[in-house]
């Protein structure tokens, strides 16, 4: 299918929070196409389109509808039904532009046991959990290119939100290395840090949009040497987004409005573990147990992936009066503690969750890129 070059706008649906059936219809304006000719120049329409795709990735039907609206076809979803720790849900689709097969690669955010992978940093140049998921995504993308790009040169529109953003960041870097920057256009949202490489700035076709009040975007911490490939665009200090959040959700924003809360959290984190080795090996007393920060984060992963048992709940509550108390106070800010322990497979309503939510990013994008 050849794209319709006469189309001058696209109607895409955005999800609101953890309830994918609550959506908002947005008209994204564009003169001819939503992707730029020069992928190394920030393009507002591409950013908004990528945001809609990445944040709708948690709802397979919604994502397929958005891709269809953008004239993509041969839509393929991978690893959506069953989650495994080192894999990732992803969606591939394609369309023809001149002699190029333009492939959309949308990486989904965290589901189920993938939470354990999020906390597995490893000791290599890239975050181990995200890099393993990128290995999986790269393999599936390679199969798609082999079967669909017959007689055509492939190019790639890569995007993801949260864990999906981190995997998109690494995958886009690898595609740049293989195909060149001119064939890759990547926008990530709310991505954690992914690498300790010192050669990140050369990937100028990768744009990472983040809110500094969202602690997910600042871990693993820069104090441990972590950063992201490409350019980072801050959505903080661009104006008040709380009114936009209220207009979108009908609820008051309870997330962080200043970076100081996250800065204090990172200081507490690095006091407990000043480097990656200490993250895995330095143990501190929590109730009757001695746990490293990594071992404690696996308890958090158990809670978020619906594997919370009595032992995990005891560790979580004991941490409130341990050397982990400052971390716990930050992570549970704005939440009911019983709701946190019993939430199961989702981040409960709290300041951390609101700061990281799709609605907060949508409201911030509306301030940065008004339509």
């Amino acid at each position: 299918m050849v794209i319709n070059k006469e189309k001058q706008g696209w109607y895409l649906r955005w999800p609101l929070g953890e309830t994918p059936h609550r959506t908002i219809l947005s008209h994204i304006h564009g003169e001819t196409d939503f992707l730029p000719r020069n992928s190394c120049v920030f393009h507002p329409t591409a950013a908004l389109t990528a945001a809609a795709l990445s944040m709708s990735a948690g709802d397979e039907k919604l994502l397929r509808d958005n891709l269809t609206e953008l004239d993509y076809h041969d839509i393929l979803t991978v690893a959506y039904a069953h989650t495994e720790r080192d894999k990732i849900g992803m969606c591939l689709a394609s369309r023809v532009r001149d002699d190029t097969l333009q492939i959309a690669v949308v990486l989904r955010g965290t589901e189920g046991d993938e939470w354990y992978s999020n906390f597995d940093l490893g000791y290599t140049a890239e975050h181990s959990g995200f890099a393993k998921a990128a290995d999986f995504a790269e393999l599936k993308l390679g199969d798609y290119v082999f079967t669909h790009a017959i007689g055509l040169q492939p190019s790639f529109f890569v995007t993801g939100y949260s864990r999906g953003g981190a995997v998109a960041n690494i995958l886009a870097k690898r595609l740049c290395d293989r195909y060149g920057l001119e064939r890759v256009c990547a926008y990530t949202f709310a991505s954690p840090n992914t690498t300790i490489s010192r050669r990140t700035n050369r990937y100028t076709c990768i744009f990472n949009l983040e809110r500094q009040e969202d602690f997910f975007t600042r871990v693993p911490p820069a104090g441990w040497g972590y950063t992201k490939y490409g350019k980072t665009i801050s959505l903080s200090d661009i104006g008040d987004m709380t009114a936009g959040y209220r207009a979108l959700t009908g609820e008051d924003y309870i997330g962080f409005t200043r970076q100081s809360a996250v800065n204090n959290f990172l200081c507490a984190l690095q006091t407990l573990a000043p480097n990656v080795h200490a993250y895995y090996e330095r143990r501190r007393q929590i109730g009757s147990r001695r746990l490293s920060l990594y071992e404690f984060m696996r308890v958090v992963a158990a809670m978020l992936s619906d594997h919370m048992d009595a032992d995990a709940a005891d560790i979580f509550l004991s941490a409130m009066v341990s050397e982990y108390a400052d971390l716990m106070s930050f992570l549970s800010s704005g939440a009911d503690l019983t709701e946190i322990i019993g939430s199961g497979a989702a981040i409960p309503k709290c300041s951390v969750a609101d700061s990281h939510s799709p609605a907060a990013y949508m409201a911030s994008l509306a301030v940065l890129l008004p339509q």
Side-chain angles (χ1 to χ4, degrees):
M1 179 184 293
V2 178
I3 65 171
N4 178 6
K5 296 185 178 181
E6 301 300 319
K7 199 166 188 177
Q8 297 188 357
W10 303 268
Y11 288 92
L12 305 180
R13 285 203 171 273
W14 300 57
L16 295 176
E18 296 295 331
T19 51
H21 295 294
R22 289 180 60 205
T23 63
I24 184 169
L25 185 66
S26 177
H27 183 215
I28 298 178
H29 302 277
E31 294 182 0
T32 55
D33 193 25
F34 54 87
L35 290 182
R37 291 292 181 180
N38 183 353
S39 63
C40 294
V41 176
F42 180 81
H43 193 270
T45 305
L48 290 170
T49 303
L53 292 177
S54 64
M55 295 182 204
S56 63
D59 184 325
E60 184 177 347
K61 183 183 183 302
L62 184 62
L63 177 57
R64 284 177 172 270
D65 288 345
N66 282 340
L67 286 166
T68 300
E69 169 67 10
L70 295 167
D71 294 318
Y72 283 100
H73 62 111
D74 291 336
I75 300 172
L76 173 68
T77 53
V78 180
Y80 259 74
H82 303 286
T83 61
E84 296 183 30
R85 295 187 183 188
D86 294 322
K87 295 184 179 180
I88 188 167
M90 63 185 296
C91 185
L92 303 170
S94 58
R95 60 185 198 163
V96 175
R97 182 177 188 175
D98 300 325
D99 62 346
T100 299
L101 185 71
Q102 198 175 78
I103 302 173
V105 185
V106 185
L107 288 307
R108 187 190 61 193
T110 309
E111 293 283 347
D113 284 357
E114 293 166 3
W115 278 107
Y116 291 94
S117 173
N118 291 352
F119 300 128
D120 184 15
L121 276 57
Y123 291 100
T124 59
E126 293 177 338
H127 182 295
S128 177
F130 299 150
K132 289 175 182 176
D135 292 342
F136 173 78
E138 188 176 15
L139 178 64
K140 297 302 180 182
L141 176 58
D143 291 342
Y144 190 93
V145 170
F146 180 77
T147 56
H148 291 79
I150 300 173
L152 297 168
Q153 291 291 327
S155 67
F156 305 93
F157 181 36
V158 185
T159 189
Y161 164 79
S162 192
R163 171 182 169 86
V167 178
N169 185 260
I170 295 174
L171 178 62
K173 179 265 184 187
R174 296 180 185 179
L175 293 172
C176 289
D177 289 342
R178 180 170 181 179
Y179 293 96
L181 274 65
E182 68 279 2
R183 291 197 172 274
V184 181
C185 179
Y187 288 81
T188 79
F189 301 87
S191 169
N193 289 326
T194 58
T195 181
I196 59 173
S197 170
R198 296 181 180 180
R199 301 184 65 219
T200 57
N201 293 335
R202 67 181 297 267
Y203 298 99
T204 53
C205 63
I206 303 174
F207 298 92
N208 307 296
L209 286 83
E210 63 181 46
R211 305 180 67 249
Q212 296 297 308
E213 303 86 357
D214 175 8
F215 99 97
F216 284 89
T217 69
R218 300 176 63 185
V219 292
W224 294 355
Y226 279 89
T227 184
K228 302 176 182 71
Y229 296 111
K231 302 176 182 178
T232 294
I233 297 176
S234 175
L235 298 178
S236 302
D237 303 321
I238 58 174
D240 184 16
M241 47 70 67
T242 57
Y245 180 95
R246 189 180 303 109
L248 285 170
T249 65
E251 301 174 355
D252 288 334
Y253 175 71
I254 66 168
F256 302 113
T257 57
R258 297 181 180 179
Q259 301 176 30
S260 57
V262 179
N263 293 340
N264 292 337
F265 165 80
L266 292 174
C267 287
L269 181 71
Q270 291 179 230
T271 298
L272 291 171
N275 51 49
V276 174
H277 179 77
Y279 171 72
Y280 280 102
E281 301 297 335
R282 181 175 293 181
R283 288 173 172 80
R284 298 174 185 272
Q285 200 73 30
I286 301 181
S288 61
R289 305 167 179 84
R290 290 184 63 81
L291 300 177
S292 68
L293 184 54
Y294 168 68
E295 291 166 337
F296 175 71
M297 295 312 296
R298 286 180 59 82
V299 175
V300 175
M303 177 192 73
L304 293 170
S305 58
D306 203 17
H307 296 312
M308 179 70 85
D309 57 19
D311 285 342
D314 179 63
I315 292 170
F316 196 82
L317 291 172
S318 297
M320 301 292 290
V321 289
S322 73
E323 292 181 79
Y324 290 85
D326 287 343
L327 266 64
M328 291 299 301
S329 177
F330 174 83
L331 293 173
S332 60
S333 176
D336 183 311
L337 190 59
T338 58
E339 182 182 344
I340 291 178
I341 294 175
S343 61
I347 304 176
K349 181 75 171 177
C350 61
S351 299
V352 167
D354 251 20
S355 301
H356 185 64
S357 67
Y361 275 83
M362 291 165 61
S364 295
L365 283 168
V367 176
L368 177 68
L369 305 171
Q371 285 279 288

